[in-house]
Amino acid sequence: FPTGEALLKLGEYQLAVESLDKAIELRPENPRAFTVKGEALLNLGEDQQAIEFFDKALELNPQDLGARNGQDHSYPALAKISQEIKKFEEEQSNP
């Protein structure tokens, strides 16, 4: 997974995700790979998917501060999107 982490640092988020998919396939017990993939997904705007990977990292290692930090950034983004959808739906029903 070092390649995925390096790609993340370079801002190559999609390539990082692809590299980390392979790393997770080879070593599914490695919580750091799940955390780094969550970070890459978060940077791609895939907040819901990112949360799933942070959750898996914490399942494997409850002390993973990177995964906890990722969750802290993901949930507010999802809440904001949910509020924007609700506002849009209200505007559509009250033209």
Side-chain angles (χ1 to χ4, degrees):
F1 89 95
T3 302
E5 199 162 22
L7 289 165
L8 175 70
K9 290 179 182 177
L10 292 171
E12 296 290 344
Y13 306 124
Q14 187 58 49
L15 292 174
V17 167
E18 293 168 14
S19 175
L20 290 157
D21 283 339
K22 293 173 188 167
I24 289 169
E25 186 177 318
L26 293 172
R27 294 198 49 212
E29 74 285 353
N30 184 343
R32 183 71 185 138
F34 286 92
T35 298
V36 175
K37 183 171 179 182
E39 292 171 7
L41 289 166
L42 192 60
N43 280 292
L44 288 169
E46 300 291 337
D47 299 331
Q48 183 61 48
Q49 263 192 302
I51 288 171
E52 293 171 20
F53 282 89
F54 294 137
D55 287 348
K56 181 62 177 176
L58 288 168
E59 181 182 311
L60 294 169
N61 177 10
Q63 310 306 316
D64 189 328
L65 296 179
R68 290 209 184 279
N69 186 42
Q71 283 183 328
D72 290 346
H73 286 91
S74 300
Y75 283 112
L78 287 178
K80 183 178 179 184
I81 290 168
S82 178
Q83 289 173 347
E84 290 174 3
I85 290 170
K86 184 177 179 181
K87 181 180 174 185
F88 175 78
E89 289 173 345
E90 288 173 356
E91 290 172 354
Q92 295 301 309
S93 65
N94 298 316

